[in-house]
Amino acid sequence: MIGGLFIYNHKGEVLISRVYRDDIGSRQAADSAVSSSSGPFPGERLGGSMRRNAVDAFRVNVIHARQQVRSPVTNIARTSFFHVKRSNIWLAAVTKQNVNAAMVFEFLYKMCDVMAAYFGKISEENIKNNFVLIYELLDEILDFGYPQNSETGALKTFITQQGIKSQTKEEQSQITSQVTGQIGWRREGIKYRRNELFLDVLESVNLLMSPQGQVLSAHVSGRVVMKSYLSGMPECKFGMNDKIVIEKQGKGTADETSKSGKQSIAIDDCTFHQCVRLSKFDSERSISFIPPDGEFELMRYRTTKDIILPFRVIPLVREVGRTKLEVKVVIKSNFKPSLLAQKIEVRIPTPLNTSGVQVICMKGKAKYKASENAIVWKIKRMAGMKESQISAEIELLPTNDKKKWARPPISMNFEVPFAPSGLKVRYLKVFEPKLNYSDHDVIKWVRYIGRSGIYETRC
Amino acid sequence: MPAVSKGDGMRGLAVFISDIRNCKSKEAEIKRINKELANIRSKFKGDKALDGYSKKKYVCKLLFIFLLGHDIDFGHMEAVNLLSSNKYTEKQIGYLFISVLVNSNSELIRLINNAIKNDLASRNPTFMCLALHCIANVGSREMGEAFAADIPRILVAGDSMDSVKQSAALCLLRLYKASPDLVPMGEWTARVVHLLNDQHMGVVTAAVSLITCLCKKNPDDFKTCVSLAVSRLSRIVSSASTDLQDYTYYFVPAPWLSVKLLRLLQCYPPPEDAAVKGRLVECLETVLNKAQEPPKSKKVQHSNAKNAILFETISLIIHYDSEPNLLVRACNQLGQFLQHRETNLRYLALESMCTLASSEFSHEAVKTHIDTVINALKTERDVSVRQRAADLLYAMCDRSNAKQIVSEMLRYLETADYAIREEIVLKVAILAEKYAVDYSWYVDTILNLIRIAGDYVSEEVWYRVLQIVTNRDDVQGYAAKTVFEALQAPACHENMVKVGGYILGEFGNLIAGDPRSSPPVQFSLLHSKFHLCSVATRALLLSTYIKFINLFPETKATIQGVLRAGSQLRNADVELQQRAVEYLTLSSVASTDVLATVLEEMPPFPERESSILAKLKRKKGPGAGSALDDGRRDPSSNDINGGMEPTPSTVSTPSPSADLLGLRAAPPPAAPPASAGAGNLLVDVFDGPAAQPSLGPTPEEAFLSELEPPAPESPMALLADPAPAAEHPRHLAPPAPSGLSESSQSSDRTWVGQRDSDGALPPPPTAGRMYLFYGNKTSVQFQNFSPTVVHPGDLQTHILSGPLAVQTKRVAAQVDGGAQVQQVLNIECLRDFLTPPLLSVRFRYGGAPQALTLKLPVTINKFFQPTEMAAQDFFQRWKQLSLPQQEAQKIFKANHPMDAEVTKAKLLGFGSALLDNVDPNPENFVGAGIIQTKALQVGCLLRLEPNAQAQMYRLTLRTSKEPVSRHLCELLAQQF
């Protein structure tokens, strides 16, 4: 149960403050907080010094902490602060109770999505301009600290930015019944001339590799995002190459198992949007749902086996005496030659006493960025099964410090047009019994994007 | 400092700093710094030659980055290079960097030291100052080692500039404070003193600071500074405000220097030279006079400077503590400040008055302000000032105003701040105890204290009441009555229940006569509180109940019922359960006699330092206690009683009475090895003098014998019983020359036995315990039996003016025929004494009053502690005690056969250690020992030279105190 929710700017000034429970900001939090107050802000609603303390405690101990606070959960005087940061904005949920931290973060992310859906980028400017809207939203999505309906589509039906629109009684009662009804995320009577849906499989691949090329850890976390423009109340069924489903089906036809067995993937864990019928998933492992209108995240999953690593980084570091370092890095692309990887960036850390760098690379551009203590090598495009190389000479300044350079790993960023987990969308069937369009009339688009998460190779 | 020219502006640095200031986030700042560091690194790369300006600029940037909290691990070399520059700004930045970021790299340190050495040797005063400042700022050991010898030279060199001298003095002070062993003392010290005469006030100020620090260790080296300081001070004090132009601060001439000079003078005793002293007193008076003058300016700086000098003057006056006139004037001045508008001044005045209160001259003067101080305690807004007021009240308290102060403090306690409550409680407890005129007032005060601030009354405080009540017969009844009344309040503090439980358990019988406080009423009152109390208190109450069973047999059934109740017998707390079970069984199994023995009244507690005083000292921390411990006015501040913590939870088991039987049946289990015939040293009175060993009559015979001729029918017999005391170095009765004698040959109706404590409780080094046994040998009851111990010269042994503190426990007034009574005497030697205490026993025998007065065998040598020492030490000390009055010599004829072994045994028994191989003549005996008294220790050396032919002895005693020598000599001479 969230006790309160605060939004701060980068200076630690409170932009939005909403308190749901009185227990936060009591004496204990006050003790640890240094009493300093920010100026009066339009968004600041409460005046009680009790709340002030929790607000201040977070500012003093997290935003203005001497040491950067890495943990998203901070405990100050038996009060827990959960925060997420969006550019320069801090969102903090505060509670004194033992809540499910995952729930709180889920809510915070959801809230970011909702705000983004309403006014675009989350920035100080936008928040200040929309503070009335934000309070309105907060009233709706959180009651007494318990998260409520946070579906953007549904919210947009009754929280609008166009000022007060006089609604008829019927409209009002319709909204009420819809919001409180079984399918709260979709309203009835949606009509499109063109029934269309977009399916994006977005994956980020994480890797830690030893200098010798041994995989130390690797996993893919992926999302299936759907954008639907469908009329009526369509019933959808989503199918993919999940190993369990494939094997179950394969029991009947043995040859199919052998054919598609290799392509099926083992999903470690997954979560679904609230529209998915979990009972059906549990019993038949089929994913069927009535989608909300517009964009939503259908499912989230994670795999750790049989990951296709799009790039291989081969580092070679040689220390020449105390004042020189030679670095050579080779990257190899490891996918079909017909595909093109984009936005490739290799980041080679340099020692802290670097006094000069010379770089030679055949492809792309490389530059020594002193402010980040790294050589950044950028390649716009690269086809599969190719290889490229960079070599650098780093001059060092002899220092009094006897500490050896820790050699941080070389990291990489890229984008590839396939799913590194191997996930394939097998079908997405749409049934709308009441209206006169069938599965064939729906235009469907599928796109795969694989991005790098933390993709590091030790050197 | 030369002004920085425009070209030295270091634009790059300004840009960098403004960049950093403009950073929006920490990340941006770190990025900017990383970029700058990379830039500087590339500039500092070995192959490029940088000019002085850029080097300075980059070193400055590094310094700035370091001060922002980032690690800097390069650039030291460049900074050191800057030191050799000839430009002031470059040198200055170099020194600045090194002072801030000193690195223990040995190579660099050598270079730095070299650069500093060059600058010190240069004739340029600015460079010398820079170097000195760097040494002082770094102040490391290495630097100290390198330059400690040079700096004094610069300091006293005739041709040094004033500013250099000033820097050198302060630099030396810093080095001395960091590592005093490095600064060599030499002929320069004498010349430093003469810096006080320097023309330049800055030099004088720096020199005073240095001398004040140095003279703390070697006061003799700087003695001459006193007269110089006095003359300097008098010149400043008497100067007009315009004389010392630059050094006049808001019309006050050189306030800092004055304060420092006054501080310096506080390191020394008052000057002996009358002229100097006169001049100083004149100065002090002038300062006091000036304080009375109207202020020359309304500015706060003016009054601050003036008051700083005034307060320092007052603390000097307090330090000297020899000028009653000045002390009283200071006190009056402070009295004015007590009502000043400024809180700080009131605080300082109260604080200084605290020290004034302990001076004998100004104590009375301080006391006149009592009303103001009490008012301050009540109305002051600042808690720290109230605290000082409480301290001052404590300090100014004496017998005359104790009642007023204690009552005021008690009244204040009700509204006092929580932070200082406990301390005030302790103070009230101490004052009430120390200045108690009558004990009922004391008991009232403490019970009030518990009522008002029960939570803050620590264990020590209520233990103390119990000790005092237990040790003082005369208040027991009153105390029982008062606690009984206090307990009747519907809600009373748990500490009150504890005190009440203990006192009623011990002395409830004293008020049982009153029907309003009959035993059942007492019990039900206590039991009504039982269920509201914590486990510890309940345990105490259970002990009280079992004592009730003994005191009032009529409550037995009720109490057994309570003990038997399931809530006690099956209590979850082990302690309570055990007590309930044991007490229940004890009460039902044991006979009345056994119960009476087991549950006898607690014996008095031995003398100890008051535990609450110790606690207050502990609270105040070391050093701070001195102001509170006004032992000067009252040498025995630990008054009435010892601080032995009572053990109220245990049933008193008077073990001595059990020991007694065994003791008399057998010879002492252990006796000093020297006394071969220890077995027959113990002589029962019935054996008569025939049992005396061949040692002949002993000095003990002189004791325990009646001083007045006994009445023919005197029914008294005495038994002196030297008990096993081997483990214990101090015995009251000497083991070797036996201490047994029959006091009254004519009668065998009463005997008195005596034995030492064998130290069940480790007694303080100056204390001993004596058990006296009075036996009635007739078949008729003695009535009104009362033995008292009197020290000749004073009426009551409790009064601490006597040399011995003797505590006695009252004995029963009736002694049945054939019965015996024991009495315990706790004796503590406070200081040396000559005459032994007297025991006077009064009783009625068959209706006729009888009186016996006996000398107790307590002489000064009982507090002897043998000391072993080598011949060399012995002679050294012997020579030290060579004053004629320290020696006592006696030549006398031997009364007994001269046997070397017996003589040895006698000397050992006397208490001194025998030293072999000291005297060149083996016939002679040499001994040494220390007499332990509470006030002082008296070292004692003795030499006995027997002359066998002439049957004569020569006895020589040397002690540090004249009467002790003579007395011991006489005592010892009787032995031979």
Side-chain angles (χ1 to χ4, degrees):
Chain A
M1 289 79 284
I2 296 165
L5 207 134
F6 307 111
I7 300 180
Y8 299 85
N9 66 5
H10 72 282
K11 288 183 200 152
E13 291 163 340
V14 184
L15 305 178
I16 300 286
S17 153
R18 183 79 173 85
V19 174
Y20 293 95
R21 282 164 182 262
D22 281 338
D23 56 353
I24 60 154
S26 60
R27 242 193 134 110
Q28 285 99 333
D31 295 341
S32 66
V34 178
S35 62
S36 60
S37 56
S38 57
F41 251 79
E44 203 169 347
R45 226 194 227 178
L46 34 87
S49 65
M50 298 265 279
R51 280 101 200 229
R52 223 357 173 322
N53 298 323
V55 173
D56 289 342
F58 183 76
R59 187 200 14 260
V60 170
N61 292 296
V62 180
I63 302 180
H64 290 164
R66 278 173 174 274
Q67 298 281 307
Q68 197 189 347
V69 174
R70 291 231 172 115
S71 159
V73 185
T74 317
N75 240 303
I76 305 162
R78 277 185 260 153
T79 308
S80 304
F81 294 82
F82 305 79
H83 75 263
V84 295
K85 213 182 158 195
R86 287 281 179 273
S87 65
N88 269 338
I89 297 297
W90 300 71
L91 274 87
V94 189
T95 181
K96 283 212 97 171
Q97 283 163 328
N98 186 14
V99 296
N100 183 346
M103 183 273 281
V104 176
F105 283 110
E106 188 64 46
F107 171 79
L108 286 176
Y109 290 134
K110 200 83 207 178
M111 194 182 141
C112 289
D113 291 347
V114 170
M115 288 198 293
Y118 268 93
F119 51 77
K121 197 171 166 275
I122 297 175
S123 65
E124 187 176 347
E125 185 78 11
N126 276 345
I127 288 179
K128 280 183 182 172
N129 290 339
N130 291 290
F131 78 91
V132 179
L133 170 74
I134 294 172
Y135 280 118
E136 217 174 324
L137 285 171
L138 281 175
D139 282 343
E140 201 53 51
I141 60 180
L142 209 54
D143 272 356
F144 198 49
Y146 292 95
Q148 307 293 317
N149 192 349
S150 53
E151 203 52 54
T152 320
L155 286 170
K156 278 195 169 164
T157 61
F158 51 89
I159 299 178
T160 57
Q161 287 163 283
Q162 275 81 38
I164 299 167
K165 222 177 17 178
S166 60
Q167 285 165 319
T168 61
K169 233 184 184 157
E170 279 150 48
E171 274 174 332
Q172 273 179 1
S173 69
Q174 200 191 344
I175 287 172
T176 310
S177 71
Q178 186 247 310
V179 168
T180 54
Q182 213 175 8
I183 303 164
W185 55 88
R186 189 180 179 94
R187 67 194 159 92
E188 296 204 31
I190 300 171
K191 274 242 165 69
Y192 287 101
R193 256 188 325 136
R194 215 154 83 121
N195 289 308
E196 202 171 13
L197 67 84
F198 301 83
L199 214 53
D200 285 349
V201 177
L202 307 170
E203 295 195 338
S204 73
V205 54
N206 300 283
L207 169 78
L208 181 63
M209 192 179 250
S210 77
Q212 288 76 33
Q214 196 183 353
V215 176
L216 299 173
S217 82
H219 73 269
V220 171
S221 56
R223 311 189 295 143
V224 179
V225 176
M226 186 171 161
K227 212 184 266 178
S228 68
Y229 303 103
L230 301 171
S231 312
M233 296 293 265
E235 173 84 35
C236 299
K237 208 172 168 195
F238 174 67
M240 57 176 185
N241 56 343
D242 181 6
K243 203 173 191 174
I244 299 169
V245 178
I246 300 283
E247 274 169 13
K248 212 189 264 173
Q249 289 173 341
K251 259 177 204 164
T253 51
D255 53 320
E256 204 187 346
T257 316
S258 59
K259 206 167 73 189
S260 60
K262 210 183 155 199
Q263 286 163 5
S264 65
I265 60 160
I267 287 175
D268 282 22
D269 44 45
C270 54
T271 53
F272 293 103
H273 189 262
Q274 59 167 334
C275 63
V276 176
R277 293 195 180 87
L278 290 178
S279 55
K280 254 194 172 157
F281 181 76
D282 286 342
S283 57
E284 301 165 28
R285 224 175 153 83
S286 72
I287 303 164
S288 64
F289 53 95
I290 297 171
D293 197 38
E295 189 175 329
F296 72 102
E297 186 185 278
L298 177 64
M299 73 178 286
R300 230 185 268 176
Y301 59 92
R302 208 172 77 99
T303 69
T304 50
K305 288 206 189 76
D306 300 324
I307 294 164
I308 307 156
L309 297 174
F311 285 95
R312 168 86 207 277
V313 178
I314 304 159
L316 204 78
V317 179
R318 203 159 66 91
E319 283 178 47
V320 189
R322 275 191 69 201
T323 57
K324 209 168 168 190
L325 203 67
E326 281 180 6
V327 182
K328 202 164 126 185
V329 177
V330 180
I331 58 166
K332 285 182 180 172
S333 56
N334 184 28
F335 44 89
K336 271 190 265 174
S338 58
L339 297 175
L340 270 182
Q342 289 183 44
K343 299 178 190 168
I344 301 154
E345 185 185 289
V346 182
R347 181 176 285 267
I348 305 161
T350 55
L352 293 174
N353 55 345
T354 305
S355 60
V357 178
Q358 271 96 50
V359 204
I360 307 161
C361 61
M362 319 308 273
K363 221 175 159 208
K365 278 180 191 164
K367 204 179 164 192
Y368 167 57
K369 284 202 173 167
S371 59
E372 287 153 54
N373 282 323
I375 299 168
V376 180
W377 176 27
K378 282 181 177 165
I379 304 170
K380 279 209 177 108
R381 243 171 253 111
M382 191 170 177
M385 305 315 264
K386 287 266 168 58
E387 185 176 310
S388 190
Q389 158 176 321
I390 184 174
S391 57
E393 251 180 42
I394 300 170
E395 282 174 80
L396 304 175
L397 191 78
T399 62
N400 311 317
D401 243 0
K402 294 286 173 290
K403 259 188 287 170
K404 218 169 172 294
W405 182 42
R407 289 202 182 190
I410 295 171
S411 60
M412 224 188 140
N413 288 318
F414 54 79
E415 209 178 282
V416 289
F418 62 92
S421 66
L423 182 131
K424 290 263 152 52
V425 177
R426 288 174 60 215
Y427 54 83
L428 189 111
K429 293 173 187 156
V430 182
F431 309 99
E432 171 51 53
K434 284 183 190 156
L435 294 173
N436 55 348
Y437 72 94
S438 70
D439 186 32
H440 302 289
D441 302 330
V442 180
I443 306 159
K444 301 168 189 169
W445 306 85
V446 181
R447 178 165 69 156
Y448 299 93
I449 299 172
R451 290 201 182 92
S452 58
I454 297 165
Y455 200 86
E456 291 178 334
T457 309
R458 290 189 180 157
C459 59
Chain B
M1 190 198 285
V4 179
S5 67
K6 236 180 176 179
D8 286 336
M10 292 195 282
R11 211 175 115 71
L13 180 67
V15 168
F16 174 59
I17 293 175
S18 73
D19 275 2
I20 295 269
R21 297 247 160 97
N22 289 336
C23 280
K24 278 251 161 67
S25 67
K26 207 155 204 162
E27 292 79 33
E29 182 185 313
I30 288 169
K31 275 190 174 172
R32 181 69 185 90
I33 285 168
N34 278 338
K35 195 175 152 197
E36 194 59 46
L37 281 176
N39 175 35
I40 299 172
R41 279 195 299 261
S42 69
K43 291 288 194 299
F44 280 177
K45 237 180 334 186
D47 49 353
K48 280 181 200 160
L50 282 173
D51 58 350
Y53 167 76
S54 13
K55 227 182 252 174
K56 179 182 77 177
K57 186 175 74 185
Y58 293 127
V59 166
C60 253
K61 282 182 179 174
L62 283 181
L63 194 56
F64 183 73
I65 293 170
F66 176 76
L67 294 177
L68 284 178
H70 299 266
D71 278 338
I72 296 297
D73 52 4
F74 66 100
H76 299 85
M77 199 59 217
E78 282 71 18
V80 173
N81 286 343
L82 282 177
L83 295 186
S84 52
S85 160
N86 271 329
K87 273 194 187 152
Y88 171 76
T89 51
E90 287 166 22
K91 205 184 259 291
Q92 182 205 23
I93 295 292
Y95 274 123
L96 185 62
F97 186 88
I98 282 159
S99 317
V100 176
L101 260 143
V102 76
N103 195 297
S104 56
N105 186 330
S106 60
E107 214 175 302
L108 274 178
I109 287 282
R110 235 188 23 245
L111 287 171
I112 295 168
N113 283 357
N114 214 8
I116 292 177
K117 211 160 230 147
N118 287 340
D119 280 341
L120 286 182
S122 79
R123 311 301 308 159
N124 185 334
T126 325
F127 290 176
M128 286 174 90
C129 280
L130 275 179
L132 287 169
H133 294 169
C134 178
I135 297 171
N137 279 331
V138 175
S140 69
R141 219 182 146 76
E142 293 84 24
M143 289 235 170
E145 276 164 1
F147 301 108
D150 297 343
I151 297 166
R153 198 173 38 72
I154 295 170
L155 178 60
V156 296
D159 53 350
S160 296
M161 294 267 293
D162 288 337
S163 59
V164 175
K165 274 191 202 166
Q166 206 174 335
S167 299
L170 293 175
C171 178
L172 193 60
L173 176 63
R174 167 76 170 88
L175 288 185
Y176 182 79
K177 276 183 179 163
S179 34
D181 52 312
L182 284 183
V183 179
M185 291 296 154
E187 51 91 34
W188 61 272
T189 50
R191 297 173 66 182
V192 164
V193 173
H194 287 282
L195 287 178
L196 291 180
N197 271 336
D198 202 285
Q199 297 288 318
H200 191 261
M201 295 289 262
V203 176
V204 183
T205 313
V208 175
S209 297
L210 178 64
I211 294 170
T212 310
C213 187
L214 289 176
C215 78
K216 291 215 170 102
K217 201 152 175 215
N218 314 304
D220 292 340
D221 288 0
F222 298 94
K223 243 184 188 152
T224 45
C225 73
V226 173
S227 59
L228 290 176
V230 169
S231 63
R232 184 46 102 166
L233 183 67
S234 81
R235 257 179 286 157
I236 296 172
V237 167
S238 56
S239 69
S241 56
T242 48
D243 285 359
L244 302 159
Q245 288 157 357
D246 280 353
Y247 287 85
T248 301
Y249 176 81
Y250 289 89
F251 306 106
V252 183
W256 279 276
L257 180 54
S258 314
V259 165
K260 282 183 173 175
L261 285 169
L262 287 163
R263 286 236 172 104
L264 173 62
L265 288 173
Q266 283 174 49
C267 298
Y268 287 96
E272 278 149 19
D273 186 354
V276 177
K277 189 167 184 184
R279 205 162 170 200
L280 178 59
V281 169
E282 201 178 297
C283 280
L284 299 178
E285 273 171 352
T286 317
V287 174
L288 289 176
N289 287 339
K290 273 193 181 170
Q292 299 292 345
E293 287 170 15
K296 292 200 178 82
S297 155
K298 284 230 165 80
K299 288 253 170 68
V300 69
Q301 288 94 331
H302 172 72
S303 60
N304 276 350
K306 218 166 111 177
N307 289 333
I309 299 175
L310 179 63
F311 274 106
E312 215 49 64
T313 305
I314 289 173
S315 49
L316 181 65
I317 293 170
I318 294 169
H319 169 74
Y320 284 162
D321 197 13
S322 59
E323 300 285 333
N325 176 30
L326 285 177
L327 280 166
V328 171
R329 280 196 65 183
C331 187
N332 293 339
Q333 184 62 48
L334 290 176
Q336 290 177 11
F337 284 146
L338 281 183
Q339 280 153 322
H340 201 276
R341 213 156 32 80
E342 284 272 315
T343 313
N344 287 339
L345 277 183
R346 290 198 301 270
Y347 180 93
L348 286 170
L350 287 168
E351 200 182 29
S352 305
M353 267 209 181
C354 256
T355 37
L356 271 178
S358 54
S359 165
E360 54 181 318
F361 299 115
S362 53
H363 183 69
E364 288 305 317
V366 171
K367 270 166 67 182
T368 55
H369 299 291
I370 184 164
D371 292 327
T372 324
V373 180
I374 288 172
N375 197 35
L377 185 66
K378 283 179 188 157
T379 58
E380 197 61 63
R381 232 181 292 152
D382 189 320
V383 64
S384 58
V385 183
R386 287 198 297 269
Q387 165 108 49
R388 289 292 140 244
D391 283 351
L392 179 55
L393 277 183
Y394 178 75
M396 68 162 66
C397 187
D398 63 11
R399 229 169 260 285
S400 65
N401 53 15
K403 278 202 174 167
Q404 185 192 3
I405 286 178
V406 167
S407 71
E408 285 297 344
M409 279 174 126
L410 270 180
R411 203 169 307 147
Y412 170 62
L413 196 54
E414 294 184 46
T415 53
D417 305 77
Y418 295 105
I420 61 172
R421 271 196 187 185
E422 191 181 353
E423 206 186 311
I424 292 193
V425 165
L426 279 177
K427 282 180 174 159
V428 170
I430 290 169
L431 291 178
E433 180 187 331
K434 193 150 83 179
Y435 300 116
V437 196
D438 63 305
Y439 285 89
S440 50
W441 175 75
Y442 171 74
V443 171
D444 279 345
T445 306
I446 299 293
L447 291 182
N448 246 334
L449 199 60
I450 295 175
R451 191 176 52 75
I452 294 169
D455 284 338
Y456 299 91
V457 172
S458 56
E459 304 262 279
E460 283 88 347
V461 174
W462 70 266
Y463 284 175
R464 197 85 183 116
V465 199
L466 297 183
Q467 284 169 25
I468 287 167
V469 171
T470 311
N471 290 13
R472 299 281 317 181
D473 315 343
D474 43 346
V475 282
Q476 287 165 354
Y478 179 78
K481 189 164 144 275
T482 324
V483 289
F484 180 77
E485 279 160 8
L487 280 175
Q488 274 165 340
C492 54
H493 195 269
E494 194 164 334
N495 279 339
M496 182 70 89
V497 179
K498 285 180 183 168
V499 174
Y502 188 92
I503 289 181
L504 290 182
E506 293 290 329
F507 313 112
N509 53 339
L510 300 176
I511 56 166
D514 191 328
R516 281 168 301 173
S517 55
S518 66
V521 176
Q522 283 185 32
F523 172 74
S524 57
L525 179 63
L526 278 179
H527 199 60
S528 67
K529 315 280 181 202
F530 186 87
H531 300 282
L532 305 170
C533 294
S534 68
V535 169
T537 313
R538 286 191 197 188
L540 190 150
L541 284 178
L542 285 183
S543 295
T544 304
Y545 295 168
I546 186 76
K547 289 214 161 194
F548 271 174
I549 293 187
N550 176 40
L551 288 177
F552 320 117
E554 66 266 34
T555 58
K556 187 170 174 175
T558 329
I559 290 171
Q560 279 182 336
V562 169
L563 291 174
R564 203 175 286 122
S567 58
Q568 311 306 341
L569 273 191
R570 282 189 292 280
N571 196 298
D573 188 84
V574 176
E575 178 69 31
L576 286 183
Q577 195 184 72
Q578 185 178 5
R579 283 191 190 204
V581 171
E582 286 180 359
Y583 291 166
L584 182 60
T585 319
L586 183 69
S587 67
S588 47
V589 170
S591 68
T592 333
D593 292 349
V594 175
L595 267 186
T597 318
V598 173
L599 302 173
E600 203 202 22
E601 215 174 87
M602 291 294 279
F605 297 95
E607 281 272 7
R608 276 281 185 87
E609 189 194 19
S610 164
S611 53
I612 40 179
L613 206 61
K615 173 155 182 170
L616 187 66
K617 280 183 196 159
R618 214 165 45 235
K619 252 183 94 79
K620 281 281 173 179
S626 54
L628 295 162
D629 183 19
D630 37 359
R632 193 142 61 88
R633 271 189 287 126
D634 194 351
S636 46
S637 54
N638 34 12
D639 255 25
I640 310 169
N641 262 304
M644 173 64 195
E645 292 190 359
T647 45
S649 54
T650 53
V651 179
S652 72
T653 47
S655 56
S657 66
D659 286 358
L660 184 68
L661 303 165
L663 251 176
R664 289 197 296 121
S675 55
N680 47 14
L681 295 184
L682 180 70
V683 185
D684 196 276
V685 73
F686 305 113
D687 295 343
Q692 286 289 2
S694 56
L695 301 176
T698 71
E700 299 303 327
E701 258 187 332
F703 299 106
L704 289 183
S705 58
E706 289 178 72
L707 297 178
E708 302 152 30
E713 287 281 338
S714 175
M716 277 293 283
L718 281 177
L719 172 68
D721 184 4
E727 311 145 14
H728 196 281
R730 286 166 298 286
H731 356 266
L732 290 174
S738 164
L740 270 207
S741 64
E742 202 170 11
S743 62
S744 166
Q745 326 264 343
S746 60
S747 160
D748 53 357
R749 269 179 237 150
T750 308
W751 52 262
V752 178
Q754 163 226 338
R755 79 176 174 88
D756 288 356
S757 158
D758 50 353
L761 306 156
T766 58
R769 183 176 284 184
M770 182 184 267
Y771 288 93
L772 288 174
F773 306 108
Y774 305 94
N776 182 352
K777 291 161 72 177
T778 67
S779 54
V780 184
Q781 196 187 44
F782 291 164
Q783 264 144 5
N784 296 351
F785 184 81
S786 78
T788 48
V789 178
V790 184
H791 204 272
D794 43 69
L795 292 169
Q796 205 190 10
T797 45
H798 274 296
I799 293 170
L800 285 159
S801 54
L804 286 175
V806 184
Q807 288 182 306
T808 54
K809 183 92 176 85
R810 200 172 44 154
V811 295
Q814 278 87 29
V815 183
D816 289 333
Q820 70 166 26
V821 185
Q822 71 142 344
Q823 187 181 29
V824 187
L825 301 185
N826 288 315
I827 302 174
E828 187 174 15
C829 184
L830 299 176
R831 54 172 198 264
D832 55 296
F833 61 97
L834 303 181
T835 48
L838 302 178
L839 174 72
S840 98
V841 187
R842 287 167 202 283
F843 56 95
R844 290 172 85 84
Y845 170 61
Q850 307 279 343
L852 293 168
T853 305
L854 311 163
K855 260 190 197 172
L856 278 178
V858 179
T859 52
I860 185 78
N861 65 314
K862 307 300 185 202
F863 300 95
F864 234 135
Q865 193 170 27
T867 323
E868 294 291 344
M869 57 174 81
Q872 201 187 342
D873 292 342
F874 182 84
F875 283 116
Q876 194 190 344
R877 291 186 197 196
W878 186 263
K879 275 178 207 135
Q880 277 168 6
L881 300 169
S882 57
L883 292 175
Q885 65 264 33
Q886 285 173 330
E887 187 182 271
Q889 199 171 58
K890 197 165 184 179
I891 301 167
F892 55 92
K893 209 162 171 62
N895 292 327
H896 306 290
M898 293 173 82
D899 182 341
E901 283 306 310
V902 173
T903 311
K904 249 188 201 169
K906 283 178 178 173
L907 281 175
L908 281 172
F910 193 68
S912 72
L914 265 189
L915 306 176
D916 294 330
N917 306 325
V918 172
D919 203 299
N921 182 357
E923 296 280 284
N924 293 351
F925 301 96
V926 171
I930 296 171
I931 293 174
Q932 304 269 4
T933 73
K934 190 152 185 182
L936 74 169
Q937 298 191 334
V938 183
C940 182
L941 304 172
L942 69 88
R943 191 175 187 206
L944 181 70
E945 293 152 287
N947 185 338
Q949 271 111 31
Q951 287 287 309
M952 296 277 276
Y953 286 104
R954 184 166 72 183
L955 177 65
T956 317
L957 265 147
R958 285 188 177 185
T959 72
S960 45
K961 265 193 119 181
E962 182 199 10
V964 177
S965 302
R966 268 193 283 112
H967 181 59
L968 280 179
C969 188
E970 267 159 34
L971 272 179
L972 198 55
Q974 291 165 18
Q975 298 270 353
F976 301 101

